[in-house]
Amino acid sequence: MPTVQLNQMQIQTCLDEAQTRTHNHSFYGKQDKWYCSPEQRILNDQIGVCSEFAVALYLGLEWTGQEEHTDLGDVSGFEIRATQRKKTNDYHLVVRGKDKGNIYILCIVDLDNHCVVIAGWETAANVRAKGTLTYPDTDGYTLPRTQLRHILDLPEEAS
Protein backbone atom coordinates (compact mmCIF):
# COMPACT_ATOMS: atom_id res chain seq x y z
CA MET A 1 0.00 0.00 0.00
CA PRO A 2 1.31 3.43 -0.88
CA THR A 3 2.55 5.62 1.93
CA VAL A 4 2.76 9.38 1.51
CA GLN A 5 5.29 11.15 3.69
CA LEU A 6 4.29 14.77 4.25
CA ASN A 7 6.99 17.39 4.74
CA GLN A 8 6.81 20.12 7.39
CA MET A 9 5.37 22.75 5.02
CA GLN A 10 2.66 20.32 3.85
CA ILE A 11 1.82 19.40 7.45
CA GLN A 12 1.52 23.10 8.33
CA THR A 13 -0.84 23.62 5.37
CA CYS A 14 -2.97 20.72 6.63
CA LEU A 15 -2.99 21.97 10.22
CA ASP A 16 -4.01 25.46 9.07
CA GLU A 17 -6.85 24.02 6.98
CA ALA A 18 -7.97 21.80 9.85
CA GLN A 19 -8.06 24.83 12.16
CA THR A 20 -10.16 26.71 9.59
CA ARG A 21 -12.61 23.81 9.34
CA THR A 22 -12.89 23.52 13.11
CA HIS A 23 -13.42 27.28 13.42
CA ASN A 24 -16.04 27.33 10.64
CA HIS A 25 -17.81 24.39 12.22
CA SER A 26 -18.28 26.21 15.51
CA PHE A 27 -18.67 29.71 13.98
CA TYR A 28 -21.66 28.61 11.91
CA GLY A 29 -23.15 26.75 14.86
CA LYS A 30 -23.11 23.34 13.23
CA GLN A 31 -24.15 20.50 15.49
CA ASP A 32 -21.34 17.95 15.65
CA LYS A 33 -22.88 14.73 14.32
CA TRP A 34 -20.34 12.66 16.25
CA TYR A 35 -20.90 14.51 19.55
CA CYS A 36 -17.20 14.81 20.24
CA SER A 37 -15.21 17.21 22.38
CA PRO A 38 -13.58 20.30 20.82
CA GLU A 39 -10.21 18.57 21.20
CA GLN A 40 -11.43 15.50 19.33
CA ARG A 41 -13.05 17.71 16.69
CA ILE A 42 -9.73 19.37 15.79
CA LEU A 43 -7.98 15.98 15.81
CA ASN A 44 -10.63 14.57 13.45
CA ASP A 45 -10.21 17.57 11.15
CA GLN A 46 -6.41 17.19 11.19
CA ILE A 47 -6.65 13.50 10.28
CA GLY A 48 -9.17 14.21 7.52
CA VAL A 49 -7.26 17.08 5.99
CA CYS A 50 -3.93 15.20 6.02
CA SER A 51 -5.56 12.24 4.26
CA GLU A 52 -7.19 14.44 1.60
CA PHE A 53 -3.90 16.25 1.00
CA ALA A 54 -1.97 12.96 0.75
CA VAL A 55 -4.41 11.41 -1.73
CA ALA A 56 -4.32 14.52 -3.92
CA LEU A 57 -0.54 14.53 -3.80
CA TYR A 58 -0.27 10.81 -4.61
CA LEU A 59 -2.77 10.94 -7.49
CA GLY A 60 -1.54 14.28 -8.83
CA LEU A 61 -4.98 15.84 -8.41
CA GLU A 62 -6.06 19.26 -7.24
CA TRP A 63 -6.85 19.59 -3.56
CA THR A 64 -9.15 22.50 -2.83
CA GLY A 65 -9.45 22.25 0.94
CA GLN A 66 -12.61 23.70 2.43
CA GLU A 67 -13.11 26.36 -0.23
CA GLU A 68 -14.82 24.14 -2.81
CA HIS A 69 -15.19 21.02 -0.67
CA THR A 70 -18.93 20.50 -1.15
CA ASP A 71 -18.90 20.91 -4.94
CA LEU A 72 -15.95 18.69 -5.78
CA GLY A 73 -15.99 16.06 -3.05
CA ASP A 74 -12.90 15.76 -0.91
CA VAL A 75 -10.43 15.36 -3.81
CA SER A 76 -11.59 15.90 -7.40
CA GLY A 77 -14.81 13.94 -6.90
CA PHE A 78 -13.37 11.18 -4.72
CA GLU A 79 -14.50 10.95 -1.11
CA ILE A 80 -11.80 10.31 1.47
CA ARG A 81 -12.34 8.46 4.74
CA ALA A 82 -9.57 8.53 7.30
CA THR A 83 -8.71 6.95 10.57
CA GLN A 84 -5.85 7.43 12.97
CA ARG A 85 -3.14 4.74 13.02
CA LYS A 86 -3.59 2.30 15.88
CA LYS A 87 -1.79 -0.74 17.21
CA THR A 88 -4.17 -3.27 15.62
CA ASN A 89 -4.84 -3.80 11.92
CA ASP A 90 -8.63 -3.92 12.01
CA TYR A 91 -9.29 -0.91 9.78
CA HIS A 92 -12.61 -0.55 7.94
CA LEU A 93 -14.02 1.72 5.27
CA VAL A 94 -17.34 3.20 6.42
CA VAL A 95 -20.06 4.41 4.06
CA ARG A 96 -23.30 5.81 5.50
CA GLY A 97 -26.81 6.00 4.13
CA LYS A 98 -26.73 9.74 3.38
CA ASP A 99 -23.29 9.67 1.77
CA LYS A 100 -23.51 11.04 -1.76
CA GLY A 101 -20.19 10.06 -3.30
CA ASN A 102 -19.51 7.04 -5.46
CA ILE A 103 -15.87 6.16 -4.77
CA TYR A 104 -14.48 6.17 -1.23
CA ILE A 105 -10.78 5.93 -0.41
CA LEU A 106 -9.59 4.78 3.02
CA CYS A 107 -6.49 6.36 4.55
CA ILE A 108 -4.65 5.55 7.76
CA VAL A 109 -2.98 8.62 9.23
CA ASP A 110 0.03 8.75 11.56
CA LEU A 111 0.11 12.39 12.67
CA ASP A 112 3.21 11.90 14.84
CA ASN A 113 5.32 10.69 11.91
CA HIS A 114 3.58 12.82 9.23
CA CYS A 115 2.67 9.89 7.01
CA VAL A 116 -0.51 8.63 5.41
CA VAL A 117 -1.12 5.09 4.18
CA ILE A 118 -3.58 4.90 1.30
CA ALA A 119 -5.20 1.62 2.30
CA GLY A 120 -7.54 1.13 -0.67
CA TRP A 121 -10.86 2.11 -2.16
CA GLU A 122 -14.30 0.83 -3.03
CA THR A 123 -17.55 2.13 -4.44
CA ALA A 124 -20.30 3.08 -2.03
CA ALA A 125 -22.63 0.52 -3.66
CA ASN A 126 -20.15 -2.31 -3.11
CA VAL A 127 -19.52 -1.33 0.51
CA ARG A 128 -23.26 -1.45 1.12
CA ALA A 129 -23.66 -4.73 -0.79
CA LYS A 130 -20.61 -6.61 0.54
CA GLY A 131 -20.14 -4.88 3.88
CA THR A 132 -21.73 -5.23 7.28
CA LEU A 133 -24.36 -2.90 8.70
CA THR A 134 -22.34 -1.76 11.71
CA TYR A 135 -23.99 1.57 12.53
CA PRO A 136 -27.78 1.19 12.17
CA ASP A 137 -28.43 4.75 13.43
CA THR A 138 -26.69 6.21 10.35
CA ASP A 139 -27.21 3.25 8.02
CA GLY A 140 -23.43 2.85 8.13
CA TYR A 141 -21.88 -0.13 6.39
CA THR A 142 -18.28 -1.18 6.92
CA LEU A 143 -15.92 -3.15 4.71
CA PRO A 144 -12.61 -4.47 6.06
CA ARG A 145 -9.40 -3.04 4.66
CA THR A 146 -8.48 -6.51 3.37
CA GLN A 147 -11.43 -6.40 0.97
CA LEU A 148 -10.66 -3.00 -0.56
CA ARG A 149 -9.28 -2.50 -4.05
CA HIS A 150 -5.71 -1.27 -4.51
CA ILE A 151 -5.29 2.42 -5.22
CA LEU A 152 -3.53 1.62 -8.51
CA ASP A 153 -6.85 0.19 -9.76
CA LEU A 154 -8.66 3.48 -9.13
CA PRO A 155 -10.43 4.97 -12.17
CA GLU A 156 -8.93 8.23 -13.39
CA GLU A 157 -12.14 10.10 -12.65
CA ALA A 158 -14.77 9.71 -9.97
CA SER A 159 -18.16 8.92 -11.41
Side-chain angles (χ1 to χ4, degrees):
M1 278 167 268
T3 300
V4 177
Q5 185 71 46
L6 300 175
N7 65 37
Q8 193 57 46
M9 189 166 38
Q10 292 165 331
I11 285 292
Q12 191 58 54
T13 297
C14 292
L15 294 178
D16 291 346
E17 174 65 19
Q19 186 66 42
T20 298
R21 288 186 188 185
T22 301
H23 171 74
N24 287 345
H25 191 85
S26 62
F27 182 76
Y28 292 109
K30 290 185 177 180
Q31 172 64 38
D32 194 315
K33 60 184 171 185
W34 310 120
Y35 304 105
C36 60
S37 68
E39 296 79 18
Q40 187 62 47
R41 173 88 241 157
I42 185 68
L43 182 62
N44 291 347
D45 285 337
Q46 289 171 351
I47 290 167
V49 170
C50 285
S51 64
E52 292 171 17
F53 192 95
V55 168
L57 193 64
Y58 181 79
L59 296 175
L61 298 172
E62 180 183 13
W63 177 71
T64 59
Q66 184 72 22
E67 185 179 327
E68 298 178 42
H69 179 81
T70 54
D71 293 339
L72 298 176
D74 293 326
V75 177
S76 297
F78 298 109
E79 295 296 330
I80 312 302
R81 290 292 153 86
T83 187
Q84 189 169 19
R85 180 171 286 291
K86 51 190 176 181
K87 293 180 182 174
T88 60
N89 272 336
D90 63 334
Y91 300 103
H92 291 77
L93 176 61
V94 179
V95 175
R96 293 177 179 79
K98 291 184 179 181
D99 288 341
K100 298 176 183 173
N102 180 36
I103 294 179
Y104 287 79
I105 299 171
L106 176 64
C107 292
I108 302 163
V109 180
D110 182 345
L111 287 175
D112 294 332
N113 295 306
H114 304 168
C115 67
V116 178
V117 174
I118 302 174
W121 69 276
E122 189 52 84
T123 64
N126 282 345
V127 172
R128 291 180 184 117
K130 299 188 309 187
T132 303
L133 178 60
T134 307
Y135 305 102
D137 58 325
T138 59
D139 198 26
Y141 285 81
T142 61
L143 192 64
R145 166 187 179 180
T146 56
Q147 294 182 31
L148 299 178
R149 299 187 218 190
H150 194 281
I151 196 68
L152 294 178
D153 298 325
L154 186 70
E156 289 187 25
E157 293 183 10
S159 53

